[in-house]
Amino acid sequence: MNSELPVGFFTAHLTRLLLLVLLPITAANAAPDAPLPQSDGARHLGVVTCAGSTCHGATQPFEDSPVLQNEFITWHQKDQHAEAYKVLLNDQSKAIARNLGLEAAHTADICLDCHADNVPDDRRGKRFQMSDGVACEACHGGSEKWLGPHVSGENSHQDNLDMDMYPTEDPVARGKLCLSCHFGNDDKFVTHRIMGAGHPRMSFELDTFTQIEPAHFEVDQDYTERKPNAQNGAALWATGQLIQAENYLDAFLDEKKHQSGLFPELVFFDCHACHHPMSDRRWTPRAGVGLGPGVVRLNDSSLIMLEHIARRVSPDDADKLVEYTRNLHLATTKGLAPSREAATQLRDLVRSLAGQAMTHSYAAGDLQDMMRSIVERGVQGEYRDYAGAEQGVMAIGSIVATLERSGAVKDDALARVTSALDGLYAALSSDEEFRPAAFATAWKSLGQALP
């Protein structure tokens, strides 16, 4: 799917976040190792099996129903996932396919694996259509086993899960699923070659992308009773950061992803370290990287947020995260073997931290401290790379929204912070026009506005 965040995205995101119902901010236990829907082994019966007017295809929400029943309409009319297959037919996709030597984007597995529910032929029901794009079963799993009891109304949500419905409400399972396309996994991966052919730059943060997804459910008492593992806000942000960092390091350590000749897989590196006008002499030192000018830098946007989580959850590990991340950057100047050693050390630390962070109760004090430490790093210039800048701002948006919903940020303070955030949003409106110095100034303004 796509990744460039549209102009005005962040402001709209914050507005929507502030309207959400407050959920508990205690992180859930790790999800069971459920296979992703694309490899769940079940037959996928197609969108039409869910879209009946008495099922999930009602034009209006049902009254006195625990679910809205108009989920198909929301997906079909408002959700970009419904357009994912159609994107493969446009001129840009045709050009990408030509550049990659593919016959067509809409018939190539390398494209369909993320732009559709691309299950094998023997797992497609009679009414299954690839052209439906990223549809119901691409996220909820093949309905072969659970559809009948689900339609009868006899199954509880746990019954559905026991019959292999995918647990999208579980933050770990959701992160694993979303990142399988918005970053990649063992089976599918957006390489630098694909991006060089014209694919948009990838970007993702679990809480932000959850909130901009058109909701086809209501988070109410019934929802939280049926789905006690559900998260929202800053806890979901923290969980997503840990999953994303571990996925990044796992992929970096995968030897199969470094088979592009003289160079390593360049998609692991920061795009704008190389892709900017030569006249834009923007380089300045970053303490957290330790590299001099003219050296390509890893895209550490999924790593630099972990320090702020660790300082709340496991303070002894926070300095290690900073040290090990810097070591990885430095190791890339020495060769693949030292880089693998440094990445393994960092991944092991991330894994050990994850268990604590995903069960931590993020109180208002934790969130306020995380926000201040993120802003401090922004003022120091640690988010000079655009991808890191994105992650920093999305983190602040998630934390501020969670604090607002809990009543920890009052109207006057919220107005000041929101106004300061507007400066950060403006600085991020275009990656091609991004100027680190102006962005650092905007961080200072936000720091002065914090309560």
Side-chain angles (χ1 to χ4, degrees):
M1 291 282 303
N2 132 52
S3 27
E4 291 291 351
L5 298 176
V7 175
F9 158 78
F10 292 102
T11 304
H13 167 53
L14 180 63
T15 301
R16 176 166 181 164
L17 280 173
L18 298 181
L19 297 174
L20 293 176
V21 179
L22 174 64
L23 282 179
I25 0 177
T26 301
N29 293 325
D33 292 328
L36 293 177
Q38 196 167 341
S39 55
D40 60 10
R43 283 167 58 84
H44 289 222
L45 305 182
V47 172
V48 68
T49 60
C50 306
S53 61
T54 58
C55 294
H56 294 290
T59 57
Q60 297 293 330
F62 280 21
E63 294 183 6
D64 302 321
S65 172
V67 295
L68 298 175
Q69 307 290 160
N70 67 338
E71 292 82 2
F72 167 79
I73 300 299
T74 299
W75 169 81
H76 182 66
Q77 295 181 351
K78 300 178 181 180
D79 194 331
Q80 291 187 38
H81 289 98
E83 302 295 316
Y85 177 86
K86 296 176 185 176
V87 166
L88 300 180
L89 302 173
N90 68 22
D91 289 342
Q92 181 180 3
S93 295
K94 290 176 181 178
I96 293 172
R98 285 195 302 271
N99 292 338
L100 291 173
L102 302 173
E103 182 177 343
H106 68 281
T107 60
D109 286 341
I110 195 174
C111 304
L112 290 171
D113 280 347
C114 284
H115 283 261
D117 187 17
N118 191 26
V119 294
D121 289 343
D122 61 357
R123 288 176 48 214
R124 300 176 188 177
K126 292 181 179 179
R127 306 174 80 185
F128 175 94
Q129 296 186 86
M130 186 73 73
S131 59
D132 286 330
V134 179
C136 311
E137 291 166 297
C139 294
H140 295 289
S143 60
E144 177 183 25
K145 294 181 183 178
W146 49 262
L147 181 63
H150 177 67
V151 169
S152 73
E154 296 177 1
N155 268 14
S156 67
H157 181 63
Q158 186 58 53
D159 290 334
N160 291 330
L161 297 180
D162 292 342
M163 300 178 78
D164 296 336
M165 177 182 280
Y166 192 76
T168 54
E169 76 280 0
D170 187 292
V172 177
R174 186 189 307 171
K176 177 182 173 183
L177 173 61
C178 296
L179 283 163
S180 71
C181 281
H182 287 272
F183 175 72
N185 60 15
D186 290 342
D187 302 319
K188 47 192 177 183
F189 191 67
V190 179
T191 63
H192 188 258
R193 181 170 175 263
I194 294 173
M195 294 181 71
H199 193 285
R201 183 181 64 87
M202 303 296 286
S203 174
F204 186 77
E205 189 275 295
L206 186 58
D207 181 49
T208 300
F209 277 60
T210 293
Q211 304 311 332
I212 63 173
E213 175 73 7
H216 54 273
F217 54 87
E218 283 187 344
V219 180
D220 52 17
Q221 182 177 350
D222 172 77
Y223 180 94
T224 56
E225 288 175 354
R226 288 185 292 114
K227 302 180 178 183
N229 280 348
Q231 280 183 357
N232 219 329
L236 186 59
W237 165 78
T239 298
Q241 291 297 322
L242 288 153
I243 297 170
Q244 194 161 345
E246 185 173 346
N247 282 13
Y248 174 87
L249 292 167
D250 282 341
F252 183 83
L253 287 165
D254 184 352
E255 293 183 359
K256 299 190 299 293
K257 293 184 170 57
H258 293 280
Q259 296 178 352
S260 52
L262 178 63
F263 298 101
E265 173 48 66
L266 292 175
V267 81
F268 294 113
F269 292 79
D270 182 75
C271 298
H272 299 89
C274 297
H275 294 287
H276 62 80
M278 295 293 288
S279 59
D280 181 11
R281 297 181 177 89
R282 65 172 64 181
W283 185 86
T284 56
R286 254 189 74 195
V289 173
L291 299 176
V295 180
V296 293
R297 299 183 301 279
L298 289 174
N299 178 353
D300 60 359
S301 62
S302 63
L303 302 172
I304 55 179
M305 293 292 107
L306 302 188
E307 173 195 359
H308 311 292
I309 299 169
R311 294 206 184 281
R312 311 283 78 75
V313 175
S314 180
D316 292 342
D317 288 330
D319 289 335
K320 288 182 182 179
L321 280 167
V322 175
E323 177 189 352
Y324 291 0
T325 301
R326 193 173 190 272
N327 288 347
L328 177 57
H329 281 289
L330 294 171
T332 62
T333 66
K334 301 174 183 177
L336 186 56
S339 299
R340 289 180 57 81
E341 182 179 351
T344 300
Q345 182 186 46
L346 179 56
R347 183 188 61 182
D348 291 346
L349 180 59
V350 171
R351 285 178 174 174
S352 69
L353 175 65
Q356 303 172 69
M358 291 179 185
T359 56
H360 184 75
S361 180
Y362 293 89
D366 289 320
L367 301 182
Q368 289 168 338
D369 287 345
M370 282 198 293
M371 183 163 58
R372 291 189 184 98
S373 65
I374 291 169
V375 171
E376 181 180 357
R377 288 295 192 210
V379 172
Q380 292 171 354
E382 279 303 303
Y383 311 137
R384 297 186 62 83
D385 296 323
Y386 186 84
E390 275 185 327
Q391 291 296 326
V393 174
M394 287 191 282
I396 294 296
S398 180
I399 292 171
V400 168
T402 304
L403 288 170
E404 192 275 340
R405 291 197 304 273
S406 68
V409 179
K410 303 301 181 182
D411 292 344
D412 291 346
L414 181 63
R416 291 195 301 272
V417 170
T418 302
S419 177
L421 273 171
D422 285 342
L424 292 172
Y425 302 150
L428 285 174
S429 61
S430 169
D431 62 338
E432 295 182 358
E433 297 177 7
F434 177 69
R435 295 295 178 267
F439 193 63
T441 299
W443 278 112
K444 291 179 183 177
S445 298
L446 178 58
Q448 294 167 356
L450 292 182

